[in-house]
Amino acid sequence: MTSILLVAERDGQGEISQSTLQAVAAAKSLSDSQVTVAIEGDAVKSGASLAVEKIVTLSPTDSGDAGIYDKATYDITSLISLINPDLVLFNKSDFGSVVGARLAFRSDYAFAADCIEISSTVTGLSVTRPVYGGSALAEFEIASTPAIVTLRAGAYETGTDTGSPIIEAFNSDGSVVGQGATTTDTVAEARDGVRLEDANFVVSGGRGLGGPEPFSLLNELADILGGAVGASRAACDAGWIDHSYQVGLTGKSVNPDVYIAVGISGASQHMSGCSSSRAIVAINKDGDSNIFKEARFGVVGDWEKVLPSFLATVRDLKA
Amino acid sequence: MTFRIVVLAKQVPDPETPPSQFKIDESTNSVFPPNGVPPVVNGFDLNAVEAALQLRDAGADVEITVLSAGSEFVMDAMKKPLAMGADRLVLIEDSSLGNIDSSGTVKILAAAIEKDGPYDLILGGRQASDWDQAHVTLGLAEVMGLPLVSLVQKLELNSDSVALQRVIPDGYQVIEAPIPVVLTVTNELGEPRYPNLRGIMQASRKKPEIFTLADLGFSSGDLAPKLELKKLYVPESNRQVELIEGEDEPDSGKQLALRLREEKLI
Ligand SMILES: Cc1cc2nc3c(=O)[nH]c(=O)nc-3n(C[C@H](O)[C@H](O)[C@H](O)COP(=O)(O)OP(=O)(O)OC[C@H]3O[C@@H](n4cnc5c(N)ncnc54)[C@H](O)[C@@H]3O)c2cc1C
Ligand SMILES: Nc1ncnc2c1ncn2[C@@H]1O[C@H](COP(=O)(O)O)[C@@H](O)[C@H]1O
């Protein structure tokens, strides 16, 4: 039997997030798995029919701990000692990356970040994770338990199984070992239109755009197609567009039907954030550029000449 | 009183290596550096060096020590933080350090920091571009029992605390942390400065201070990996691009739109 503790996260509506549902599918793919889900706050509607054995609710965090995660690290560490799982699964989110790493090193457990595959072996677990920015894959075996693993979004498809888990509250002893860092404010940019992560159409610009102005053309295209604009890290670092638009390994992950990359070379770290798109389309003046190895459709050419007529044709088609 | 900053910096293969030149020796599960491309200091670690230098620019009396654990150090690469303006370079060099995992790295970095003397701030990079794990700095905070703030894009020094901005997906958090504290620095902080000629000259005269594993009280057996690397390989890609060629570039743009429409993609 593989006993698994899965630490759930919520979406914007407070329901169990898509990434967590994918993690449930990953957990169920292991042989003879018994899954306990831990979630902060109450168990919510989407939890009641989750295809797992048990849901454990944790008391919610206060705003001073936002991004620090002292409380979650403490609570989940306590929960692990109580239920002794073989595997603790997190999403590779901000929360999962910090809490997973902290509690693993606190208790000297094995930790594997950003995995795309997990399987059981005779002696323990095997995990696969992209390394070198996605240029290579590494397969590791973990013999010690519990193994702490974060899972990349999109690596597993959500399952269709339902269940009727037992719901219990877990009250940790309340003595959070805080280290004294406190969050005093959150400054978040409200964004009109579709979120980059949810968009069915994304057009991203890179260093090849040469400056901030061309992004207005990209915005126009995104508006017509009801999509969102993204960017490469090079464009963000240059200050042409805010970093919150960055797509890639250290930016956002997108999975639209169509991803158009304009003036982007297709570095593996960029592709890590968009390779699950249904079709990648490249506009780049260098035919040898790596983006053409990843794209389904492409034009080798200068965006200044290609993009305006592309935009005009799309506008006509949509009119 | 001098404020002591330790910056953790790792030597990595140059991540700008074009994917077509990225090769793996599957018999030893290791990466072949492409001919003539020297390793570099991990990019986010240079952002951390920059963060430390900005505190000096803001008027603080800081001493910046760059600390690295590894094997086969290339001095031209490792001296870059010194050329940017860091004061000291401390290297933990041992041939066995090529094969340890992050649980071992954290243990020896923690031991080296304790041995090297008092510290006020420990800065690391957001993640190392070889194994992309993003957890050595986080683990170090846990092992040393220090507060941790990750993904820092801005920092200011007060007398016994730091005021920070931490990047979140659509903005940032404002955080106060006591000193000493461990921070991971992200590229949103701004580009690392280029070394100037004077910096390069000074760096060339400086010698790194070397710690051996024995100096730190370890033998290589103490650092057995928790994760055993079974296989390292380049994934196969069988994507085939369809290039759209019109009469001229504007026509290609038009044909592209029509083709995407035909595929019902737009
Ligand atoms: C650890 C790590 C994490 C990273 N994370 C990310 C990440 O999350 N996201 C990310 O994007 N990058 C990331 N990077 C950076 C990545 O390695 C590349 O440096 C970056 O993606 C390059 O951006 P670019 O393609 O815009 O620029 P370049 O690589 O400079 O490419 C510009 C392209 O524009 C083309 N071009 C120029 N002029 C024109 C024109 N007039 N018309 C058409 N085409 C033109 C050129 O042919 C070229 O292909 C990361 C790097 C590291 C080391
Ligand atoms: N061997 C090392 N020597 C010095 N610093 C390191 C080493 N490994 C990792 N680090 C630091 O930890 C950060 C995160 O690394 P990683 O967890 O490997 O992605 C890096 O950006 C460095 O600042």
Side-chain angles (χ1 to χ4, degrees), chain A residues 105 129, chain B residues 7-11 42-45 48 67-70 73 78 92 97 100 102 105-106 108-109 123-138 183-185:
Chain A
F105 282 91
R129 50 186 306 269
Chain B
V7 181
L8 307 173
K10 188 177 193 190
Q11 177 177 302
N42 181 45
F44 293 117
D45 304 353
L67 174 65
S68 188
F73 282 116
M78 292 311 296
I92 310 157
L97 295 184
I100 64 169
S102 50
T105 306
V106 166
I108 53 176
L109 291 176
L123 302 179
R126 171 186 181 143
Q127 71 188 50
S129 61
D130 47 5
W131 296 96
D132 292 320
Q133 308 188 96
H135 61 220
V136 163
T137 322
L138 284 66
L183 308 177
T184 81
V185 177

Side-chain angles (χ1 to χ4, degrees), chain A residues 201-205 208-230 240-241 260 262-263 283 302-315, chain B residues 253:
Chain A
F201 171 82
V202 174
V203 56
S204 287
L209 289 189
E213 299 81 16
F215 276 97
S216 61
L217 218 55
L218 270 47
N219 272 319
E220 250 181 90
L221 185 60
D223 278 347
I224 298 172
L225 292 170
V229 168
W240 301 341
I241 187 166
I260 305 192
V262 187
I283 301 176
D302 185 341
W303 67 264
E304 289 193 58
K305 305 214 175 69
V306 178
L307 199 58
S309 61
F310 177 76
L311 180 64
T313 314
V314 171
R315 190 181 285 119

Side-chain angles (χ1 to χ4, degrees), chain B residues 191-212:
Chain B
E191 304 260 341
R193 66 195 61 190
Y194 286 105
N196 59 27
L197 199 60
R198 190 163 144 262
I200 295 169
M201 298 292 290
Q202 279 175 346
S204 70
R205 283 192 294 269
K206 280 187 188 154
K207 284 215 162 57
E209 298 159 56
I210 308 279
F211 288 168
T212 63

Side-chain angles (χ1 to χ4, degrees), chain B residues 123-201:
Chain B
L123 302 179
R126 171 186 181 143
Q127 71 188 50
S129 61
D130 47 5
W131 296 96
D132 292 320
Q133 308 188 96
H135 61 220
V136 163
T137 322
L138 284 66
L140 189 77
E142 284 297 328
V143 166
M144 298 184 75
L146 294 171
L148 162 82
V149 182
S150 55
L151 305 185
V152 169
Q153 66 167 355
K154 194 158 186 260
L155 70 165
E156 255 170 58
L157 221 50
N158 301 322
S159 54
D160 55 358
S161 67
V162 279
L164 307 164
Q165 283 184 9
R166 174 178 191 272
V167 174
I168 53 175
D170 289 300
Y172 60 90
Q173 291 159 329
V174 181
I175 297 179
E176 278 280 320
I179 287 168
V181 62
V182 178
L183 308 177
T184 81
V185 177
T186 177
N187 57 299
E188 282 87 342
L189 180 111
E191 304 260 341
R193 66 195 61 190
Y194 286 105
N196 59 27
L197 199 60
R198 190 163 144 262
I200 295 169
M201 298 292 290

